Amino acid sequence: MAIFSPGFQGRRRPANGLLPPGQYATEGFPVLSAGPTPRVSPDIWELVISTESGEQHRWTWSELQALPKATPTVDIHCVTKWSKFGTSWEGVSLDTLLDGVETAAAYVLAHSYGGYTTNLPLADLRGGKAWIVYAYDGRPLTAEHGGPARLLVPHLYFWKSAKWVRRLELLETERKGFWERAGYHDYGDPWREQRYDGD
Ligand SMILES: Nc1nc2c(c(=O)[nH]1)N[C@H]1C(S)=C(S)[C@@H](COP(=O)(O)O)O[C@H]1N2
Ligand SMILES: [Mo]
């Protein structure tokens, strides 16, 4: 007979069971924020995708909730070397949000409530690899982890997963975000250990 401890439903499995070079696995969920935690109420919350031609696509909180729900379980890897296996989220795929957004842009600068920014190629938000998530482990996303909603791009170092995301600015030429301007890598692939510019 199998014994399960309370709260453990077998979800804490690695999504792929591998640790990128230089990382260690952690059971906890560290909070890493470069500044104070913004408190954004869902009634004023909005998400904007702006294109290189100046078009703006907007979603209110209730419009986001009405979109088809995705439930990714993924491993996450922070550049400070912790990795966490089998994190379970709920949200909306970026494929769903980008459907109907006409753009020839190759890059994105993600902007957060509170002023944080991070850059990534638009291709990395497509193909079932990125989400706007509003729940973690079956509960609404807490403010410290980026609630009401954050970007989740788990195949890149976790600093690319902008908490309190507010706008995705689609750009023809790449513009660096907060950590990238401070010397971190523009792409940040944990499997190639792209921690700093030049790695
Ligand atoms: N807006 C915002 N997003 C952010 C950060 C931040 O400081 N501000 N930190 C990044 C970093 S370095 C990491 S490791 C993760 C941490 O997410 P967590 O606090 O939920 O673990 O958020 C990323 N997204
Ligand atoms: Mo991080």
Side-chain angles (χ1 to χ4, degrees):
M1 181 174 127
I3 311 274
F4 295 96
S5 50
F8 182 85
Q9 282 129 40
R11 283 176 302 180
R12 279 274 173 266
R13 66 189 187 280
N16 77 13
L18 296 172
L19 207 53
Q23 298 292 111
Y24 66 88
T26 185
E27 285 292 320
F29 195 170
V31 171
L32 277 98
S33 303
T37 295
R39 308 279 160 173
V40 188
S41 130
D43 2 308
I44 60 136
W45 183 92
E46 64 170 4
L47 176 70
V48 178
I49 296 182
S50 61
T51 72
E52 70 281 14
S53 59
E55 244 180 82
Q56 301 210 335
H57 301 257
R58 288 171 187 273
W59 293 267
T60 63
W61 185 250
S62 54
E63 287 166 343
L64 185 79
Q65 305 298 311
L67 293 173
K69 193 198 276 187
T71 57
T73 294
V74 296
D75 301 341
I76 53 180
H77 311 290
C78 173
V79 74
T80 63
K81 302 199 169 176
W82 58 267
S83 290
K84 185 171 176 58
F85 290 138
T87 62
S88 296
W89 307 83
E90 286 167 42
V92 176
S93 169
L94 254 301
D95 293 309
T96 304
L97 294 163
L98 287 166
D99 193 38
V101 173
E102 220 173 286
T103 180
Y107 299 99
V108 179
L109 189 63
H111 299 257
S112 296
Y113 290 95
Y116 183 85
T117 52
T118 188
N119 56 280
L120 58 177
L122 179 55
D124 287 79
L125 295 187
R126 298 191 193 273
K129 296 197 294 283
W131 300 268
I132 300 291
V133 291
Y134 45 71
Y136 169 74
D137 219 2
R139 292 194 187 83
L141 190 58
T142 59
E144 57 178 4
H145 285 299
R150 74 181 297 165
L151 186 60
L152 175 67
V153 193
H155 69 284
L156 301 176
Y157 279 124
F158 207 35
W159 90 76
K160 301 287 182 178
S161 294
K163 303 198 281 189
W164 318 296
V165 64
R166 169 185 214 160
R167 180 160 75 104
L168 300 175
E169 182 181 10
L170 310 191
L171 296 164
E172 286 173 316
T173 54
E174 189 159 43
R175 228 159 67 215
K176 287 178 191 287
F178 178 81
W179 286 118
E180 295 83 1
R181 280 199 301 270
Y184 284 83
H185 200 278
D186 279 336
Y187 187 61
D189 180 352
W191 302 97
R192 288 186 279 167
E193 216 171 347
Q194 294 172 335
R195 297 177 193 276
Y196 308 104
D197 208 5
D199 283 349

